Amino acid sequence: MSDLIIRNVRTPETEGLVDLLIVGNRIEEIGAGLVAEATERDGNGALLVAGFVESHIHLDKACILDRCHNETGTLEGAIASVGSAKRNFTADDVYDRGKQVLDKAIVQGTNAMRTHVEIDPGIGLAGFHAVVALKRDYAWAVDLQICVFPQEGLTNYPGTQELLEDALGCGGDLLGGCPYTDSDPNAQISILFEMAARHDVDLDFHLDFDLDPSWRHLDEIARKTIAHGWQGRVAIGHVTKLSALPHAELMEVVSLLKDAGVALTVLPATDLFLMGRGEDHLVPRGVAPAQIFHEHGVCCTVATNNVLNPFTPYGDCSLPRIANLFANVQQLSTESELQACFDMVSDIPRRLINQSRRIAVGEAATFVALPALTGGQAVAEIARPLWGFKDGKMTFEQAPSKLFEPG
Ligand SMILES: [Zn+2]
């Protein structure tokens, strides 16, 4: 592989336009007007970032609208219709659908992902094995982290725990939970913490996914996190109940999550689609205000969750679009607010999945070029990534748009 100079780009850590010299899979030099014998690429002023990170997605149940439909539009309707479609999932089928999502996500500038995978005696390890194969086959473009979890309950579905143990022993990276579908939610939480400690893995729960503020599971998660010394290793996703709390009560939860070192993941496309179905006017948004938690030092991420299925019948796998959707729902507008939205789909989820990347000398040549001056602008305009590299190799490029003016 010959050396490469990428000219005229901005990076988060440099002033003005710079060039990058790439040797092998590393960044050898960064500076203005670099001189070297190398192939050249003009960055035309693009912003280079380390890439988008999908902190919560379901590759195994994506792209199934041709075979199931959410009759009620509710969370229960989504779980029921996917549950029955899942009976016909095979490893090849999961692989093909996961591939469709990954192909789209790569072009959208995503180069790392945490995918949840459903495991229970019905599907067995078929979906899991397919995702393990995707992880291997897409390592050239995406670092895939596999979170195995019991979507249909743990204590109420005998055999599930044994399968989760098997998956953690052969490629599962961490353990997910879904207490709200369990007949004994607190027992599920206890078992998952005990398993996480035994396997030394992180935890990521689907949690408090409704708008009733009169009860919740997050206090138990915070308590268990501290009791197990698992601060910084636990995330909770959805937590739509938070959108139903008055400010003072919300701030108590901010302190609780901060003290427990529990991360919050918001999934606006799904939350907006499924919440508030009982209302016929002034429909609540049902999206947790992660920006307030972020402002007070809680690790917060925003993610896609589902693509073209009964939980979310939309999806282009664009994290700039999801960040923009979140900003729009939360009425965010200043550069620092929009930059925070950018950070919640890039550097912060990268920390959540225990990865670090910088565009700096000696680091891996992994980055994505955006047509923007800042991350905030990329969110405001839903910037369409131009091209990207992983470990010194180009992973995608999108042809620039052209206008054909008359004459
Ligand atoms: Zn999910």
Side-chain angles (χ1 to χ4, degrees):
M1 201 189 338
S2 75
D3 299 348
L4 171 71
I5 286 189
I6 299 174
R7 297 211 181 273
N8 304 315
V9 288
R10 293 166 206 286
T11 82
E13 297 188 35
T14 50
E15 290 284 324
L17 293 174
V18 292
D19 304 338
L20 271 71
L21 174 63
I22 313 300
V23 175
N25 60 358
R26 304 261 136 204
I27 302 171
E28 180 77 13
E29 214 180 333
I30 298 179
L34 294 187
V35 179
E37 278 290 315
T39 311
E40 300 222 354
R41 175 175 195 94
D42 190 352
N44 292 311
L47 174 67
L48 282 200
V49 296
F52 295 108
V53 179
E54 186 70 78
S55 55
H56 184 133
I57 197 164
H58 296 259
L59 292 179
D60 58 342
K61 59 186 177 196
C63 308
I64 52 173
L65 289 178
D66 57 343
R67 56 184 100 167
C68 56
H69 173 67
N70 187 343
E71 297 293 339
T72 57
T74 60
L75 173 60
E76 295 70 25
I79 291 172
S81 62
V82 174
S84 67
K86 192 163 73 169
R87 292 190 202 112
N88 297 314
F89 285 6
T90 64
D92 287 348
D93 165 48
V94 170
Y95 185 95
D96 289 345
R97 290 183 288 97
K99 180 175 168 30
Q100 291 172 40
V101 173
L102 283 159
D103 288 348
K104 276 191 189 178
I106 292 164
V107 174
Q108 302 286 9
T110 296
N111 58 20
M113 245 184 210
R114 171 180 286 179
T115 183
H116 292 257
V117 179
E118 296 188 18
I119 290 193
D120 56 60
I123 179 83
L125 294 178
F128 171 73
H129 287 313
V131 173
V132 169
L134 288 166
K135 176 175 177 165
R136 177 196 66 213
D137 295 348
Y138 276 87
W140 58 276
V142 175
D143 296 314
L144 196 55
Q145 195 187 50
I146 304 175
C147 177
V148 294
F149 88 111
Q151 169 75 68
E152 297 181 38
L154 181 61
T155 66
N156 51 291
Y157 204 163
T160 300
Q161 186 177 345
E162 291 74 8
L163 287 164
L164 288 169
E165 301 269 7
D166 289 348
L168 286 175
C170 64
D173 296 304
L174 73 156
L175 198 50
C178 196
Y180 63 78
T181 59
D182 205 298
S183 51
D184 190 344
N186 282 349
Q188 177 180 125
I189 293 168
S190 277
I191 293 168
L192 292 175
F193 267 95
E194 179 274 317
M195 286 174 70
R198 203 155 27 79
H199 290 270
D200 191 20
V201 294
D202 293 355
L203 284 162
D204 194 334
F205 290 89
H206 292 77
L207 208 79
D208 291 345
F209 194 7
D210 60 65
L211 300 181
D212 179 359
S214 69
W215 63 272
R216 64 189 191 209
H217 293 136
L218 72 84
D219 305 81
E220 178 64 6
I221 296 282
R223 203 179 66 73
K224 279 277 192 310
T225 299
I226 293 168
H228 283 262
W230 236 238
Q231 295 94 330
R233 301 191 68 175
V234 178
I236 53 178
H238 295 293
V239 207
T240 47
K241 282 179 193 289
L242 297 176
S243 70
L245 290 183
H247 188 73
E249 288 172 45
L250 186 79
M251 293 313 291
E252 288 170 17
V253 180
V254 168
S255 299
L256 185 67
L257 295 191
K258 184 154 191 278
D259 294 346
V262 171
L264 172 65
T265 294
V266 177
L267 308 160
T270 304
D271 300 344
L272 283 164
F273 182 69
L274 295 177
M275 293 295 102
R277 289 287 179 154
E279 309 299 325
D280 68 0
H281 65 289
L282 293 178
V283 178
R285 298 159 192 231
V287 176
Q291 73 280 7
I292 297 173
F293 289 76
H294 169 77
E295 211 177 291
H296 290 87
V298 175
C299 174
C300 292
T301 71
V302 175
T304 298
N305 193 31
N306 281 294
V307 176
L308 301 172
N309 75 9
F311 290 85
T312 317
Y314 320 117
D316 55 1
C317 308
S318 161
L319 281 168
R321 183 180 66 80
I322 292 290
N324 176 284
L325 176 65
F326 176 77
N328 203 160
V329 169
Q330 300 293 350
Q331 303 173 320
L332 306 176
S333 64
T334 66
E335 177 60 30
S336 71
E337 286 172 338
L338 295 176
Q339 180 66 47
C341 294
F342 183 86
D343 294 343
M344 287 192 269
V345 294
S346 54
D347 289 350
I348 300 173
R350 201 182 296 286
R351 286 203 296 277
L352 183 76
I353 66 165
N354 304 308
Q355 191 183 59
S356 75
R357 281 199 188 286
R358 286 176 59 211
I359 301 175
V361 171
E363 296 289 323
T366 298
F367 36 71
V368 168
L370 299 176
L373 292 174
T374 64
Q377 186 191 355
V379 170
E381 299 182 16
I382 314 183
R384 174 172 167 263
L386 303 167
W387 42 264
F389 280 72
K390 185 164 186 278
D391 297 323
K393 290 187 183 147
M394 198 168 210
T395 53
F396 75 93
E397 183 170 25
Q398 304 215 57
S401 304
K402 272 188 192 169
L403 294 180
F404 298 94
E405 291 183 44

